[in-house]
Amino acid sequence: MANKIKDMIKKVETWFVGHFVPVKKNKIVFTQFGGCGYGCNPKAICDEFLRRGDNYDLVWLLNRKTSDEEAHVPKGVRISRKNQSLIELMTAKVWINNIHFSDLLRFGVFKRKGTIYLNTFHGGITLKKEGKDKHNYNPNRVLPEKDRMYLKDAEYVDYITSGCEMEDHVLKEFFWGKGEILRFGDARTDVLVNGSPEIRREVRSFFDVPEGTSLVIYAPTFRPDMSLKWYDWDYGKALDTLEEQTGRPWRMLIRLHPRIAKKSRELVPDSPRFIDASRYHDMQDLAVAADLMISDYSSVITDFMLTKKPAYMYVPDLDQYLQTRGMYFEMDELPFPYARTGDELIRCIREFDPDLYQKKSEQFMARLGYIADGGASRRIVDFLIEKMKE
């Protein structure tokens, strides 16, 4: 009963602000993955606004579980939480998110006339099927509250950023055909294309990685049952193989999808060779710092491809995944060596051909016409500034 009363008070307060408190014309509210730390496309766009140095009120929404220290929100950006986030949204000129505002909509948040909602999504060259494309999609199912809020959020979306025609299709599925698609590229890929020695040093320092030690990042996506069984392989053998090949020490960053990040302690071995990076604020920073990636059906691997560093797919449940969810590409269309077993993965690492990998990556990118020139953030901010003047 107490929670219902609190929710009702939130809704009344939100309604009052939305009808009587004016929109602040220079306020831009950002968030990602339900209030996690400073990351993904919204981070890259926010960084570009900071670089411009103009008089914008930049606000980053955080959830209760993410501390200020974990979030890494930079100076010049205000942090907002809990009930205050409702007020910030209701008085903002621009909303920027990489997923749906489902939880906040439950408390009565609505998009006011004149407010601009830009959604950047969180995948680029998407591998796993979305929306009606999923093989297990059921058009007759009764939508749970979460999905109803997703649909309501999509109704509010004005613009969605994209990097290619294939991505356009995925976005239409994810947002139920709502929102105008802007072919500007994905802002979070700018740092992957341009590189950043500063970020590389920062990440290595944060995780206390010694000089001369290389990093592999293991970053798989979630499974519908949220099980960890598909991630159970011999991580140590992979590090041993890399050390034999390169003659230098390696460590592994293990980064689980936000939906299962809380289970990371169950998975990460208790050894200094393995580092739990699931709560680190930005996947792109980790990709900049890593020398090699192992993933599966996640779009983090197609992002990582832009760094031109080696990447492998470990897909022990490939047949089941293709049958239940499906992928937009055949495995052999992708540039990444892939393995169904731990032993096959070790063989892929040992037999890796960097020249062939680069050739296949370039052909793959050319076929898609994917925009990844390091300038997406600039184009997006230019567009928003013009829209904010209207």
Side-chain angles (χ1 to χ4, degrees):
M1 177 62 72
N3 287 336
K4 287 184 178 180
I5 293 173
K6 288 181 181 178
D7 289 353
M8 183 60 67
I9 291 172
K10 286 181 184 178
K11 288 180 180 179
V12 170
E13 183 179 22
T14 302
W15 182 91
F16 180 86
V17 172
H19 286 83
F20 295 102
V21 180
V23 168
K24 192 174 180 181
K25 294 184 178 180
N26 70 333
K27 182 189 287 189
I28 307 170
V29 174
F30 304 81
T31 192
Q32 65 141 356
F33 292 122
C36 292
Y38 193 66
C40 198
N41 292 304
K43 170 191 173 181
I45 297 168
C46 190
D47 283 345
E48 180 64 20
F49 271 108
L50 284 171
R51 277 192 288 271
R52 302 289 174 106
D54 295 322
N55 186 31
Y56 294 105
D57 182 14
L58 307 176
V59 183
W60 195 276
L61 307 187
L62 290 178
N63 59 36
R64 301 181 198 179
K65 297 178 182 179
T66 306
S67 69
D68 289 4
E69 184 181 7
E70 289 174 319
H72 286 250
V73 177
K75 185 178 179 180
V77 181
R78 294 195 292 114
I79 290 175
S80 178
R81 300 175 189 272
K82 302 180 182 177
N83 292 359
Q84 185 62 32
S85 294
L86 304 175
I87 298 171
E88 299 289 4
L89 278 171
M90 294 304 301
T91 56
K93 178 65 177 177
V94 180
W95 297 353
I96 299 178
N97 197 357
N98 75 340
I99 199 166
H100 302 295
F101 277 113
S102 52
D103 287 340
L104 294 172
L105 297 182
R106 287 178 49 241
F107 298 122
V109 167
F110 60 92
K111 188 165 77 71
R112 300 171 69 177
K113 184 178 180 180
T115 295
I116 302 163
Y117 182 5
L118 174 78
N119 199 300
T120 67
F121 193 48
H122 52 277
I125 302 175
T126 307
L127 301 184
K128 54 191 179 186
K129 290 191 173 181
E130 296 287 352
K132 298 188 294 296
D133 291 338
K134 295 179 184 178
H135 292 175
N136 58 0
Y137 175 75
N138 178 6
N140 299 316
R141 74 186 179 111
V142 177
L143 290 178
E145 183 186 28
K146 179 183 72 173
D147 284 15
R148 293 199 301 273
M149 290 299 103
Y150 285 177
L151 183 56
K152 185 175 182 179
D153 175 274
E155 295 282 354
Y156 288 148
V157 171
D158 295 302
Y159 306 104
I160 314 166
T161 55
S162 171
C164 65
E165 184 176 351
M166 176 265 167
E167 190 178 353
D168 294 355
H169 171 81
V170 174
L171 296 171
K172 288 173 183 175
E173 289 299 315
F174 192 82
F175 292 99
W176 283 274
K178 309 298 182 180
E180 179 184 343
I181 294 175
L182 307 173
R183 194 76 66 79
F184 290 155
D186 298 307
R188 71 179 183 280
T189 66
D190 289 349
V191 71
L192 303 178
V193 174
N194 298 329
S196 174
E198 180 183 356
I199 289 176
R200 181 177 172 86
R201 286 192 298 270
E202 180 182 322
V203 171
R204 293 173 65 88
S205 174
F206 182 87
F207 291 115
D208 197 23
V209 178
E211 191 69 31
T213 298
S214 295
L215 281 175
V216 53
I217 182 167
Y218 176 46
T221 190
F222 70 98
R223 302 307 194 273
D225 62 359
M226 305 301 169
S227 169
L228 299 181
K229 66 182 179 179
W230 303 113
Y231 318 133
D232 184 16
W233 54 279
D234 194 340
Y235 306 149
K237 192 172 183 179
L239 292 186
D240 291 343
T241 302
L242 289 167
E243 289 177 353
E244 290 170 9
Q245 285 195 309
T246 63
R248 59 180 179 272
W250 283 73
R251 290 190 181 179
M252 180 180 288
L253 301 173
I254 298 176
R255 167 81 167 195
L256 296 185
H257 188 279
R259 291 196 183 185
I260 54 171
K262 62 184 178 182
K263 295 186 175 184
S264 60
R265 292 180 182 176
E266 302 173 33
L267 187 72
V268 179
D270 185 14
S271 164
R273 300 180 82 192
F274 307 101
I275 301 167
D276 185 353
S278 293
R279 290 187 63 81
Y280 195 77
H281 64 286
D282 190 29
M283 178 64 219
Q284 276 59 47
D285 284 6
L286 298 180
V288 170
D291 301 288
L292 180 150
M293 174 177 280
I294 299 170
S295 187
D296 48 21
Y297 318 103
S298 172
S299 62
V300 299
I301 197 168
T302 49
D303 279 359
F304 192 79
M305 174 182 63
L306 303 177
T307 69
K308 301 186 177 180
K309 294 179 286 192
Y312 307 87
M313 296 177 69
Y314 175 63
V315 287
D317 57 339
L318 178 60
D319 293 337
Q320 178 181 332
Y321 200 88
L322 291 175
Q323 183 177 4
T324 55
R325 178 150 185 169
M327 294 174 63
Y328 286 109
F329 303 95
E330 299 293 334
M331 293 298 291
D332 291 334
E333 290 182 280
L334 301 172
F336 318 108
Y338 68 94
R340 296 170 182 261
T341 68
D343 287 342
E344 286 182 7
L345 180 59
I346 297 303
R347 186 163 61 250
C348 286
I349 293 173
R350 285 177 175 154
E351 297 176 357
F352 181 71
D353 183 337
D355 293 333
L356 178 61
Y357 173 68
Q358 287 304 321
K359 180 180 178 182
K360 291 181 72 173
S361 297
E362 290 168 6
Q363 290 173 340
F364 182 65
M365 291 278 290
R367 180 161 64 87
L368 293 178
Y370 186 67
I371 301 170
D373 59 1
S377 301
R378 173 179 48 78
R379 287 187 288 272
I380 293 167
V381 170
D382 286 345
F383 174 83
L384 287 174
I385 288 173
E386 289 304 310
K387 285 293 175 181
M388 291 171 75
K389 293 176 182 176
E390 294 179 359

